[in-house]
Amino acid sequence: MSLLKIRKSSGEPDELEASVAQELLNLEMTSTELKGALRDLYITAAKEVDCGGGRKAIIIYVPYKLLKAFNKIQQRLVRELEKKFSGKHVIIVKQRTILGKSYTRSNKTTGPRPRSRTLTAVQDAILEDIVYPTEIVGKRTRCKVDGRRIVKVYLDSKDQANVEGRTDTYAAVYNKLTNKQVSFYFS
């Protein structure tokens, strides 16, 4: 029954993915406020990330076309899932595709690769997904003398009370997904 809440393109769901799908199904059955919204929603994958200091985070991948539906209930859904998976932060990220520079379209259609499928655009979108519902106010890239780059991300200060404890998790998850160093500030 919980397999209705996860649809993988290849292979069977692992233990973590099955438990996340089961919790989504339980929330749909028990929660009155989330019942209607969760009916047509499903996930594509789930991954556990070590955030340092003994903390862990669960990244839940959702299909791109269900982006708006998940965003409507994301705050309540994340709150409920964090209660179920105690001690772990839950982050919802949309499943996106990166197309290489040598991408060629099929014979039916012509044109360059879409900007939304470039590496930079996908990494920026992943950052937006990680910090949602907080808005990113500004970004600065700091290049150090030894060649390292650190992205400074300025978040909206009105959400500072809700997000301040999670910024280390955000940085660890973004580093795991994109291999980029990021630090968060409030403005």
Side-chain angles (χ1 to χ4, degrees):
M1 188 71 176
S2 67
L3 294 178
L4 297 173
K5 289 293 170 190
I6 183 163
R7 297 186 189 162
K8 293 188 73 135
S9 59
S10 60
E12 290 292 313
D14 62 12
E15 188 177 321
L16 176 70
E17 292 170 339
S19 65
V20 170
Q22 183 62 46
E23 290 303 330
L24 283 175
L25 187 66
N26 291 346
L27 280 174
E28 183 183 336
M29 298 299 178
T30 58
S31 176
T32 55
E33 61 180 14
L34 294 174
K35 184 174 186 144
L38 278 175
R39 181 168 291 122
D40 298 327
L41 300 182
Y42 58 90
I43 64 172
T44 56
K47 192 188 299 185
E48 195 170 48
V49 175
D50 185 31
C51 298
R55 303 249 6 180
K56 291 195 181 282
I58 297 175
I59 306 169
I60 298 174
Y61 290 95
V62 299
Y64 187 80
K65 61 186 176 183
L66 298 178
L67 164 73
K68 286 195 171 31
F70 267 102
N71 282 351
K72 287 180 185 173
I73 61 165
Q74 184 163 345
Q75 286 181 299
R76 290 177 289 173
L77 182 64
V78 165
R79 192 178 332 115
E80 293 296 325
L81 287 174
E82 284 179 351
K83 287 180 194 172
K84 304 286 183 187
F85 300 105
S86 58
K88 297 179 182 176
H89 287 149
V90 175
I91 296 174
I92 297 176
V93 177
K94 286 44 170 196
Q95 189 81 45
R96 291 190 167 83
T97 306
I98 300 172
L99 299 175
K101 288 183 179 181
S102 62
Y103 169 73
T104 55
R105 291 182 179 255
S106 64
N107 292 337
K108 295 178 189 173
T109 58
T110 57
R113 89 184 143 152
R115 292 272 187 241
S116 63
R117 305 291 195 286
T118 63
L119 177 70
T120 308
V122 169
Q123 288 179 344
D124 288 345
I126 286 173
L127 185 60
E128 293 274 344
D129 289 346
I130 289 173
V131 301
Y132 187 85
T134 306
E135 290 184 18
I136 295 176
V137 179
K139 274 193 243 181
R140 306 284 182 271
T141 303
R142 181 169 182 215
C143 299
K144 293 195 170 187
V145 178
D146 61 354
R148 288 186 297 151
R149 291 177 177 219
I150 297 177
V151 179
K152 291 184 176 182
V153 177
Y154 295 93
L155 301 175
D156 198 352
S157 60
K158 70 177 182 184
D159 297 325
Q160 184 170 357
N162 301 336
V163 176
E164 200 155 25
R166 302 172 65 100
T167 54
D168 294 335
T169 303
Y170 291 164
V173 167
Y174 188 70
N175 187 16
K176 177 76 175 172
L177 294 177
T178 64
N179 209 17
K180 284 186 172 181
Q181 297 290 325
V182 66
S183 57
F184 294 96
Y185 300 96
F186 295 95
S187 63

